[in-house]
Amino acid sequence: MSSRMAGSVLLRHAGAGAGRLFATTASPAARTALAGGEGAWARMMSTSAASHAKDEAAKAAATGDGEKKEVAVNSYWGIEQSKKLVREDGTEWKWSCFRPWETYTADTSIDLTKHHVPNTMLDKIAYYTVKSLRFPTDIFFQRRYGCRAMMLETVAAVPGMVGGMLLHLRSLRRFEQSGGWIRALLEEAENERMHLMTFMEVAQPRWYERALVITVQGVFFNAYFFGYLISPKFAHRVVGYLEEEAVHSYTEFLKDLDDGKIDNVPAPAIAIDYWRLPANATLKDVVTVVRADEAHHRDVNHFASDVYYQGMELKATPAPIGYH
């Protein structure tokens, strides 16, 4: 009898201790269940089961019996996926790197023959520096204009980014506006990058060409960065002459297309959407609009250099925004 009474006392103490432990460490729902008895516990278990079922349903919707389906991502940070975009004809817009309102029609009527005659010593240094860079490029690529275009665009996309970045930092330091030039230069860099993305659909670089891109980009970025810090007017003049050479290279590209030396294949889909080209556009149409872009960048950079030559800063003249 005494042993049974002692065991009963121990069980009561153990039950009370467990109650205090669960009441301290368990979740609010669990504490409510402990306090409310079997009914509350049953309600909590049913809620947990429903939540588990919901998770399983979401997984099933994502997998779809082995087939991957698109599921909207709800972000804790309040960033929601945008609604599906469509073209003017109602078809789905498939590009995430640019939107329909960022597309444009290139001005192919732009004067392609413009040339800034180097008069000052600084201009002559910029001109002959660019000319000296063309010689090894001609030897390396010869008339493989698809790969040549890719190499050219990996370099051409650097100055706009560097110039825009330095003007951005200058604007922050001096608490002043930039006259729209930050946006104009960054738009130029983005446009040149889209040229590269387009030609990647036409020609794939070889491994040693990729290695060359890494080397050239690393050297050119640092050289242009310090050059822009020392003399922005020299830096913009260099880019102006680089763009003149780009116009010349794309003109030669078009000649080979006309002569049948390069197949005039259908235009990549990304180019058709980006430049608003007709559905039956060809590589020749793509090269034509890219050349027009380069001519526009030529004019913008020569103009920027002229502004500095006249003793003014870029913020004093409105930037040519709106072409892209």
Side-chain angles (χ1 to χ4, degrees), residues 59 86 150 179 200 222 228 235 240 268 296 303:
K59 291 180 181 179
V86 295
M150 282 190 296
M200 285 290 293
N222 288 283
Y228 202 99
H296 172 73
F303 172 71

Side-chain angles (χ1 to χ4, degrees), residues 304-320:
S305 183
D306 289 345
V307 171
Y308 281 113
Y309 265 106
Q310 294 173 16
M312 299 185 295
E313 294 184 356
L314 290 182
K315 65 176 183 177
T317 56

Side-chain angles (χ1 to χ4, degrees), residues 178-304:
S178 71
W181 280 94
I182 296 174
R183 179 179 174 185
L185 293 178
L186 293 181
E187 281 184 352
E188 176 185 316
E190 173 64 13
N191 180 246
E192 297 285 11
R193 192 185 66 83
M194 288 302 299
H195 293 177
L196 175 62
M197 296 299 103
T198 297
F199 285 113
M200 285 290 293
E201 300 292 326
V202 177
Q204 290 295 323
R206 301 165 185 174
W207 69 266
Y208 57 85
E209 291 171 339
R210 290 178 179 270
L212 183 61
V213 166
I214 296 173
T215 304
V216 171
Q217 188 183 81
V219 172
F220 183 72
F221 176 90
N222 288 283
Y224 191 80
F225 177 84
F226 288 108
Y228 202 99
L229 286 176
I230 297 170
S231 176
K233 63 183 176 183
F234 172 74
H236 282 291
R237 190 67 80 202
V238 167
V239 178
Y241 286 130
L242 281 173
E243 299 295 356
E244 288 185 15
E245 292 298 324
V247 172
H248 173 74
S249 295
Y250 285 118
T251 299
E252 293 297 313
F253 197 162
L254 287 171
K255 287 181 180 179
D256 280 5
L257 284 168
D258 289 336
D259 294 340
K261 297 178 181 178
I262 299 175
D263 293 336
N264 191 22
V265 297
I270 191 172
I272 292 175
D273 286 338
Y274 184 67
W275 282 285
R276 300 177 185 174
L277 297 174
N280 61 347
T282 62
L283 179 59
K284 181 178 179 180
D285 298 315
V286 175
V287 176
T288 300
V289 295
V290 169
R291 183 178 63 172
D293 288 348
E294 305 294 4
H296 172 73
H297 300 157
R298 171 204 64 193
D299 296 345
V300 169
N301 281 278
H302 278 315
F303 172 71

Side-chain angles (χ1 to χ4, degrees), residues 94-139:
K94 65 178 182 178
W95 311 108
S96 59
C97 52
F98 64 100
R99 303 294 181 174
W101 54 84
E102 296 172 336
T103 63
Y104 67 100
T105 302
D107 180 16
T108 55
S109 65
I110 192 170
D111 188 355
L112 302 173
T113 61
K114 283 184 179 179
H115 168 64
H116 182 274
V117 179
N119 296 317
T120 66
M121 180 59 67
L122 211 58
D123 281 358
K124 291 178 181 179
I125 294 174
Y127 178 75
Y128 288 109
T129 297
V130 173
K131 283 295 184 181
S132 66
L133 294 175
R134 184 178 181 87
F135 179 70
T137 304
D138 289 342
I139 294 177

